Amino acid sequence: MAESVSPKLTTGKVVDVLLPLFLLALLIALCVQLLLPFVGLLIWTIIFAVCFYPLHRKLRTKVSNRMSAIIIGLGLSAIVLVPTTIASISAAGSIPSVIAAIQTGEKTVPPPPARVKELPLVGKRVDALWTQASTDMPSFVKKYRPQLADFAKTLVAFAGSLFVTVLAIVASVIFAAITLAYSESARAFIGNVLARITGSRKEGEHYMALIGATIKSVANGVIGVAFVQALLVGIGFFAIGVPGAGLLSILAMALGVVQVPVLIITIPAIIYAFSAETTTVAIIFTVWSIIGGLSDAVLKPLMIGHGLEVPMPVILLGVIGGVMAFGLVGLFIGAVVLAVGYVLFNEWVGRTEPAARSDGKSSSAKLQGAK
């Protein structure tokens, strides 16, 4: 007769197994809770560090590792922070005057041009509202006070968020420079983690290269193109003196980042140009705005997906879906997740081919040889 297992011994084994697992889960939960407030900052730090790591590697051949990180940090501040700060200050400075004009109704508005009434669908309505605002601003403000009050609150909230955004960018740049100073250790750590997950050092290196290339592709093809768009249309806004030119420039960049046509902003500015400037100036501004607004159609195919094994439409779908799901940082999260998923799916499809061929070689071996 088989000897029965002692209940006490069985319980002890269960405790020996579950207690370490419970403590490990508790440790992971506490680490996640402590890092959760800094997730956005850490992600942007990684993004900046990945984008500028190739430059850091080149600079290290001429200067020390630490000096290279300092140079990149200062240069990144000059390239990213200075234009952003100038535009933010300009936008924030124009907001109080706009709010005061909304509240008092003292702001004068030029009459609408005759072309406004000819616009399809909304022409007559826009012409009537514009005419009322230009002829009797106090009555216009009184009639639409609730809507204008909500708009004023939105402007105040936006002005407050500008300062926080600039501080977040400054912090991300500082941490990115520190990360670059320890880039080799950080890269080795990430490589070890991915090798552990994939079960192979070669596969870990492959996916690390894919993630880095995707981040750089999105940074150049989405944020870089949006910055160029905002710069082009912003030059036009400031040249003809469009009210709130700094705010409109920031909005143009935001729309470009989330893949919304910048023409949504430039069309009202074109209408303003025809009402406030001469016909020649307005036509030049219109051509310039169209070039700036449609520049992404030329730049994106050149920048996104270049050198990647992932097609551009997949990256764009990841960018748009990521923004919808996670906000601005979803640009990179969505693109990276979809790129990795696409590669994994391709590898899975490749492994469904017949394992044996007439020549005795497997199709998977052929794929490995092609790689």
Side-chain angles (χ1 to χ4, degrees):
M1 183 174 180
E3 187 176 340
S4 61
V5 180
S6 172
K8 184 176 181 181
L9 182 61
T10 303
T11 304
K13 286 184 176 180
V14 171
V15 171
D16 288 342
V17 172
L18 293 182
L19 183 58
L21 292 177
F22 171 75
L23 294 177
L24 178 61
L26 180 62
L27 177 63
I28 294 174
L30 290 175
C31 291
V32 170
Q33 185 176 7
L34 291 173
L35 293 176
L36 198 58
F38 308 99
V39 168
L41 179 63
L42 291 175
I43 292 176
W44 282 112
T45 298
I46 294 172
I47 290 168
F48 282 127
V50 169
C51 290
F52 288 90
Y53 175 73
L55 177 61
H56 173 66
R57 191 168 51 186
K58 291 180 181 180
L59 283 177
R60 283 186 313 181
T61 60
K62 299 180 179 179
V63 296
S64 65
N65 182 67
R66 184 171 299 179
M67 182 58 64
S68 173
I70 293 174
I71 292 173
I72 292 176
L74 294 177
L76 185 60
S77 300
I79 294 172
V80 178
L81 297 181
V82 172
T84 304
T85 303
I86 292 174
S88 300
I89 292 174
S90 174
S94 63
I95 288 175
S97 60
V98 173
I99 294 175
I102 291 174
Q103 293 175 343
T104 61
E106 296 176 354
K107 183 72 176 177
T108 58
V109 178
R115 302 180 184 86
V116 174
K117 189 179 294 186
E118 300 174 1
L119 293 175
L121 300 177
V122 298
K124 294 182 179 180
R125 178 64 175 170
V126 172
D127 181 76
L129 292 175
W130 195 336
T131 301
Q132 183 182 1
S134 63
T135 56
D136 191 3
M137 178 61 93
S139 299
F140 178 81
V141 172
K142 184 178 180 180
K143 182 177 180 180
Y144 297 98
R145 185 174 296 277
Q147 294 87 343
L148 294 175
D150 292 339
F151 180 66
K153 291 179 182 178
T154 303
L155 287 178
V156 172
F158 180 75
S161 66
L162 288 177
F163 181 71
V164 177
T165 301
V166 171
L167 286 181
I169 295 176
V170 172
S172 299
V173 169
I174 293 173
F175 283 111
I178 296 173
T179 303
L180 286 175
Y182 298 92
S183 57
E184 294 304 321
S185 300
R187 192 176 187 280
F189 172 76
I190 296 174
N192 290 335
V193 171
L194 292 176
R196 183 73 174 178
I197 293 173
T198 59
S200 166
R201 170 67 62 177
K202 183 178 180 180
E203 288 294 322
E205 291 287 339
H206 173 243
Y207 283 106
M208 184 165 61
L210 173 66
I211 292 171
T214 303
I215 290 175
K216 287 184 281 188
S217 177
V218 173
N220 295 331
V222 177
I223 296 182
V225 171
F227 179 79
V228 171
Q229 272 190 304
L231 181 64
L232 291 176
V233 299
I235 291 173
F237 292 155
F238 281 102
I240 67 169
V242 175
L247 176 61
L248 291 177
S249 300
I250 293 178
L251 290 177
M253 182 170 180
L255 290 177
V257 166
V258 298
Q259 308 302 298
V260 176
V262 179
L263 293 176
I264 293 176
I265 292 179
T266 58
I267 288 176
I270 290 171
I271 296 174
Y272 170 83
F274 276 99
S275 65
E277 302 290 340
T278 63
T279 303
T280 302
V281 173
I283 291 175
I284 294 174
F285 173 75
T286 300
V287 174
W288 179 265
S289 299
I290 292 175
I291 292 174
L294 298 179
S295 59
D296 61 330
V298 178
L299 296 176
K300 281 179 184 176
L302 297 176
M303 306 298 290
I304 297 181
H306 182 69
L308 283 176
E309 55 186 299
V310 182
M312 185 183 72
V314 174
I315 299 295
L316 283 179
L317 285 175
V319 166
I320 298 172
V323 170
M324 295 174 64
F326 304 107
L328 185 59
V329 75
L331 282 170
F332 300 92
I333 296 177
V336 168
V337 170
L338 210 57
V340 173
Y342 176 84
V343 172
L344 287 173
F345 180 75
N346 263 357
E347 292 182 356
W348 175 77
V349 170
R351 281 196 285 266
T352 62
E353 296 179 358
R357 294 168 50 90
S358 59
D359 57 1
K361 295 182 179 180
S362 66
S363 59
S364 60
K366 180 181 178 181
L367 287 174
Q368 292 295 330
K371 289 182 181 179

